[in-house]
Amino acid sequence: MTDPILITGCSSGMGREAARALLERGHTVYATARRPETLAELKAKGAHVLALDVTDIESMRAAVAAVEAEHGAVGTLINNAGYSQPGPIETVPVAKARAQYETNVFGLTQMCQLVLPAMRAKGSGRIINVGSMGGRMTLPVNGWYHSTKYAIESLSDALRMEVRPFGIDVVIIEPGAIKTEFDTTAGMGVGIDMDSPYAELEVTNGQVFSGAYGKAAASAEYGAKTYVKAVEARHPRHRYLNTASGRVVVYARHFLGSQFWDAAVGRAYRWR
C-alpha cells in the first residue's frame, strides 16, 4: 500500500541512503533531485530517476504526473529536500530567509498538494515530512532554519487530521545530528562580519556544530532506517525522533522549560 515511493532530495545524505535502503527491501522507488545525473548510482540499483526542484512548480508537477501515469497515485511521498541557513535574525537578509522557506516549507507543502488528489481518490497514501529535532527546540544563530522546521511540525499536524478520513497517514521524521553534507553548511552563516556585534556568537556556533556533527553524530545509513520504519509500519507513529541525543535534548527543552534552556544554551555558547 505504500508503493510507489516518491522521494525528494536524493542526491546525497539521508535521501540517498533512504532510497537505497528501500530499494534493497524491494520497494518501487522514484528518486528525485534537481540534477538527476547525481542519481546514477540509485538508477543502477533499480530506482526510477526524475528531475525535481522543489522551488520549481512545473518540475514538481511533471514528477508527480510521471508517477501517477504509471501507478495511478503516489503511494508514499517522502519530503526530504531541505537545507540550513544559519545567521542571526537581525543580519540574515530577508531574501535569503524567504528562499529557505521556499524550499523547506512551501516546496514541501506544494508536493503534498500535488499528490493528495490521487491519494484521496485511491483511499490510501502516506506522506512523510522530514522535519528536525530543531522543530521542537531552538538554538541561537539558527532561528530562520528552526522556524521552517517548526512550520513543518504544525502544518503536518493539521494535515494529518485533515486527511485521515481519506485513509492517508501523515508522519514527521525529526532527525538529530546526522553525519551528511548538511553538517558542512549547518554551522556556516552567510559570511561572518567580524565587526558585527554577533561575531563572537557566530564563531561559537560554528564550533558547537562542529562538535555536534563530529564523533557524536549518527551516520546517514542509520538515519535512513527511520525512513524505512515510517514507510513499512502498518500503523506509523506521528513522529519519529531518530537519535538518542535528539530525544534527550527535545525532552529536556520540553519538560525543563525556557529558563533552563536559555541558561544551558548560554553556557554552551559562552554568550554573555
Side-chain angles (χ1 to χ4, degrees):
M1 291 180 64
T2 55
D3 284 7
I5 303 165
L6 175 61
I7 313 175
T8 67
C10 293
S11 62
S12 63
M14 284 188 294
R16 179 177 61 199
E17 295 305 322
R20 180 183 292 134
L22 290 164
L23 286 166
E24 290 173 353
R25 295 179 67 85
H27 291 281
T28 301
V29 175
Y30 283 77
T32 74
R34 286 181 297 174
R35 294 183 295 113
E37 63 270 18
T38 63
L39 306 175
E41 179 187 350
L42 293 176
K43 185 176 182 179
K45 291 181 178 295
H48 302 271
V49 170
L50 297 171
L52 195 161
D53 179 348
V54 296
T55 64
D56 178 354
I57 186 61
E58 294 307 321
S59 79
M60 290 188 274
R61 286 175 177 151
V64 172
V67 179
E68 292 179 348
E70 290 292 322
H71 303 275
V74 173
T76 300
L77 168 65
I78 302 180
N79 274 313
N80 173 76
Y83 70 95
S84 174
Q85 175 65 65
I89 299 297
E90 180 181 348
T91 61
V92 172
V94 170
K96 289 186 177 290
R98 186 176 288 115
Q100 187 172 38
Y101 266 81
E102 287 292 339
T103 294
N104 291 11
V105 180
F106 300 128
L108 174 149
T109 307
Q110 286 186 306
M111 286 299 299
C112 293
Q113 291 175 339
L114 288 169
V115 303
L116 277 169
M119 284 185 175
R120 282 190 293 100
K122 184 181 177 183
S124 67
R126 187 164 297 179
I127 293 173
I128 300 173
N129 290 331
V130 180
S132 169
M133 63 180 281
R136 296 169 69 181
M137 43 71 73
T138 304
L139 295 172
V141 196
N142 296 276
W144 286 113
Y145 169 75
H146 283 290
S147 69
T148 67
K149 296 303 182 178
Y150 270 79
I152 290 171
E153 294 277 333
S154 59
L155 288 165
S156 298
D157 281 342
L159 183 62
R160 184 181 64 252
M161 292 182 279
E162 292 166 358
V163 301
R164 182 178 179 182
F166 304 110
I168 301 168
D169 298 314
V170 178
V171 178
I172 309 169
I173 293 178
E174 301 168 320
I178 302 290
K179 191 68 177 176
T180 68
E181 286 82 349
F182 175 91
D183 68 277
T184 65
T185 59
M188 298 167 55
V190 293
I192 298 176
D193 176 3
M194 296 310 296
D195 293 326
S196 165
Y198 302 104
E200 176 188 346
L201 184 60
E202 292 188 78
V203 170
T204 303
N205 180 68
Q207 295 168 348
V208 168
F209 271 80
S210 293
Y213 285 91
K215 293 181 180 179
S219 67
E221 292 84 356
Y222 175 86
K225 293 178 181 178
T226 307
Y227 289 56
V228 174
K229 190 180 299 183
V231 167
E232 295 185 343
R234 184 174 179 84
H235 301 290
R237 300 205 304 257
H238 295 168
R239 284 172 169 77
Y240 289 88
L241 264 167
N242 71 356
T243 65
S245 60
R247 286 189 286 273
V248 170
V249 171
V250 167
Y251 295 151
R253 170 64 185 90
H254 177 75
F255 290 110
L256 298 178
S258 59
Q259 287 186 324
F260 167 85
W261 180 254
D262 285 6
V265 171
R267 285 194 295 272
Y269 276 72
R270 305 184 299 276
W271 187 238
R272 54 188 180 275

